[in-house]
Amino acid sequence: MRIGYNKLWKMLIDKGVNKMDLKEAADIITGVLKKMRDIGL
């Protein structure tokens, strides 16, 4: 079962937060963020 992140990306856009802000705030490493982005497409 795959997890989709489309709702997360939409919420970030609505709040004016970019993915790098999320990465820094949640202390996510770049590789994990890339995997999340690739799955969310």
Side-chain angles (χ1 to χ4, degrees):
M1 182 173 153
R2 295 183 73 174
I3 297 172
Y5 294 99
N6 291 333
K7 289 181 183 180
L8 172 63
W9 304 141
K10 181 172 179 348
M11 182 183 71
L12 291 175
I13 291 168
D14 291 345
K15 293 182 181 264
V17 178
N18 66 36
K19 292 175 185 173
M20 288 297 119
D21 293 337
L22 172 67
K23 176 186 173 292
E24 292 172 7
D27 197 27
I28 299 171
I29 63 173
T30 305
V32 171
L33 186 64
K34 182 182 180 317
K35 286 181 183 182
M36 290 171 64
R37 185 188 69 224
D38 292 345
I39 291 171
L41 295 177

